[in-house]
Amino acid sequence: MGQQRPRTRFGTFDWRAMKKTAREILARLGLRLDVSQPVHLLSAANCKLIEIARALNRNARVIIMDEPTAALTDREVRRLLSIVRDLQKNGVAIVYITHRLDEIFDVCDRIVVLRDGSLVDDGPVSDFTEGSLVKKMVGRPLESLFTHSPHPIGDVALEVVGLTSEPAFRDISFQVRKGEILGISGLIGAGRSELAHALFGLRAYAAGTIAVNERRVRINSVADAFRLGIAYLPEERRSQGLILPFSIQHNITLASLKRFTRLGIVSERGEADFARKAATDFTVSGARIDAAVSVLSGGNQQKVLIAKTLARNPEIIILDEPTRGVDVGAKSEIYRIIDDLARRGCAVILISSELNEVLAMSDRILVMREGVAVRTFERSEFSPEAIGAAAAGQKVLSNVA
């Protein structure tokens, strides 16, 4: 794309030559694909490799990679980093933008730290440790990144018994209490997001029961979930949570327009005042509230999505990968918001692939593997080894989920 395409002697596109070139470049990246198939059928990792192949086809000597591993599994990350190293060896200069600190120390030679649009530091990787890097990024030590304050645990807000939606998950049972943060951990494909979709009316379930505040309910739609005081922050903000051409204001208020509506007419002033206050409360920065949400950074987009999710004042909140693809500073602010929700008495379900995040923020952790709840850990039992073993299917002590 974006290059002069070869033509036949008849003036038509030379598709055979283009496919041959595409195959050769993909082979350099260790990728063997049918080059005629649509890109939307590919995995996220292969889509990222297609982008790199396009840059190589232009004989690029400098490649800027902006969060290249944000949506990849650990195995796909390792594969991509291996390709980055090969590009380095072949003399390609790479600007690697990421919030994953382990990747920085794995493949980078030099680190440039930015904070609030200003240069904070610039030096070889050997000058930094993970702790010192975080401190430069957020202005405070690594130990203060997470916020988990004591908060009273109340009555059961949500109870799930035997919930099943084959083939994604089966026989899932758990409780979440008011003021409690229940972490849900597990490997990619464990069925965590599908479980969230069922609880929010986005996915049908064939068996099992759901009770909200000790009253048995049936959730068949998002409208049902809203009426029951359930909110859901989706895993993919750009495709599932935000309307990118819409303004920051309209994204924040989109799910709660009723509160600004009278006789079928939306009060623009009321909507704007609410959005402005929410943007301030959630420290959304980078643009005025009438600007398109697409102009914001990933972290600020995520905070807009959180503001939208909480605008209905839900009692039960499901957060699916709430800090994916955001910088360390935004993560710290999101952790503060999650902790504040629990202190206010909300029941919080935190789904995350980042084990440190789940360990630091949760009061209990439910581990899922291959669609089954394999164990629940109390906070006194938390350890990365035990939770990792349960998620990977290694031998663990039995426990009810």
Side-chain angles (χ1 to χ4, degrees), residues 102-179:
D102 54 335
E103 295 173 13
I104 292 175
F105 289 100
D106 194 355
V107 298
C108 296
D109 301 299
R110 191 160 57 89
I111 297 176
V112 172
V113 183
L114 302 177
R115 186 171 74 236
D116 297 330
S118 299
L119 178 66
V120 175
D121 205 348
D122 178 353
V125 170
S126 58
D127 285 355
F128 297 85
T129 64
E130 186 169 314
S132 69
L133 182 55
V134 169
K135 187 173 182 180
K136 290 178 183 298
M137 292 169 70
V138 301
R140 54 186 180 277
L142 177 63
E143 295 74 27
S144 64
L145 177 62
F146 298 101
T147 303
H148 187 278
S149 61
H151 38 259
I153 307 298
D155 297 332
V156 174
L158 175 70
E159 182 174 22
V160 173
V161 179
L163 203 66
T164 298
S165 180
E166 297 279 14
F169 60 85
R170 60 192 179 279
D171 197 26
I172 302 291
S173 300
F174 64 88
Q175 294 180 340
V176 192
R177 296 178 176 273
K178 296 175 182 178

Side-chain angles (χ1 to χ4, degrees), residues 7-292:
R7 294 183 179 268
T8 66
R9 61 192 178 91
F10 302 106
T12 58
F13 287 134
D14 190 342
W15 292 103
R16 180 178 296 180
M18 283 191 276
K19 289 178 180 179
K20 181 175 181 290
T21 300
R23 290 191 197 98
E24 290 172 351
I25 294 176
L26 291 176
R28 289 172 57 188
L29 300 176
L31 203 57
R32 299 203 184 321
L33 295 172
D34 174 4
V35 296
S36 299
Q37 69 176 308
V39 171
H40 73 82
L41 298 178
L42 302 179
S43 69
N46 283 344
C47 285
K48 190 59 63 177
L49 293 180
I50 295 292
E51 294 179 41
I52 295 173
R54 183 169 61 190
L56 293 178
N57 192 43
R58 300 183 69 95
N59 295 316
R61 305 313 300 161
V62 179
I63 300 178
I64 302 171
M65 298 185 180
D66 192 356
E67 293 292 348
T69 61
L72 306 188
T73 65
D74 289 341
R75 181 179 177 183
E76 292 168 340
V77 169
R78 289 194 295 272
R79 180 183 175 200
L80 181 65
L81 294 183
S82 175
I83 289 170
V84 169
R85 293 188 197 97
D86 289 340
L87 292 172
Q88 286 176 288
K89 291 174 184 175
N90 290 324
V92 178
I94 297 172
V95 179
Y96 194 88
I97 303 168
T98 184
H99 303 123
R100 295 186 173 184
L101 304 188
D102 54 335
E103 295 173 13
I104 292 175
F105 289 100
D106 194 355
V107 298
C108 296
D109 301 299
R110 191 160 57 89
I111 297 176
V112 172
V113 183
L114 302 177
R115 186 171 74 236
D116 297 330
S118 299
L119 178 66
V120 175
D121 205 348
D122 178 353
V125 170
S126 58
D127 285 355
F128 297 85
T129 64
E130 186 169 314
S132 69
L133 182 55
V134 169
K135 187 173 182 180
K136 290 178 183 298
M137 292 169 70
V138 301
R140 54 186 180 277
L142 177 63
E143 295 74 27
S144 64
L145 177 62
F146 298 101
T147 303
H148 187 278
S149 61
H151 38 259
I153 307 298
D155 297 332
V156 174
L158 175 70
E159 182 174 22
V160 173
V161 179
L163 203 66
T164 298
S165 180
E166 297 279 14
F169 60 85
R170 60 192 179 279
D171 197 26
I172 302 291
S173 300
F174 64 88
Q175 294 180 340
V176 192
R177 296 178 176 273
K178 296 175 182 178
E180 182 181 38
I181 301 173
L182 174 70
I184 299 185
S185 185
L187 303 178
I188 300 293
R192 300 169 304 167
S193 293
E194 291 83 354
L195 173 61
H197 292 169
L199 295 174
F200 194 58
L202 294 170
R203 182 186 184 97
Y205 51 97
T209 61
I210 299 173
V212 174
N213 294 325
E214 300 184 347
R215 181 171 64 90
R216 187 167 168 175
V217 299
R218 182 79 192 182
I219 304 175
N220 295 316
S221 66
V222 172
D224 290 342
F226 276 155
R227 280 193 293 271
L228 293 166
I230 301 174
Y232 171 59
L233 186 135
E235 180 180 16
E236 296 293 341
R237 60 177 171 268
R238 295 176 68 88
S239 60
Q240 299 174 0
L242 299 171
I243 301 179
L244 298 179
F246 278 25
S247 68
I248 297 168
Q249 171 184 318
H250 289 157
N251 270 281
I252 289 175
T253 61
L254 189 61
S256 54
L257 285 175
K258 249 184 199 179
R259 67 188 301 166
F260 318 111
T261 303
R262 186 176 181 186
L263 302 176
I265 299 174
V266 176
S267 167
E268 291 187 13
R269 180 174 178 179
E271 185 185 9
D273 288 346
F274 178 87
R276 196 173 292 109
K277 183 178 185 304
T280 301
D281 291 345
F282 292 99
T283 63
V284 177
S285 59
R288 291 159 45 100
I289 63 166
D290 56 357

Side-chain angles (χ1 to χ4, degrees), residues 181-185 348-351 358 362-367:
I181 301 173
L182 174 70
I184 299 185
S185 185
V348 180
I349 297 176
L350 172 62
I351 301 171
V358 177
S362 304
D363 297 300
R364 288 184 302 124
I365 296 175
L366 170 70
V367 179

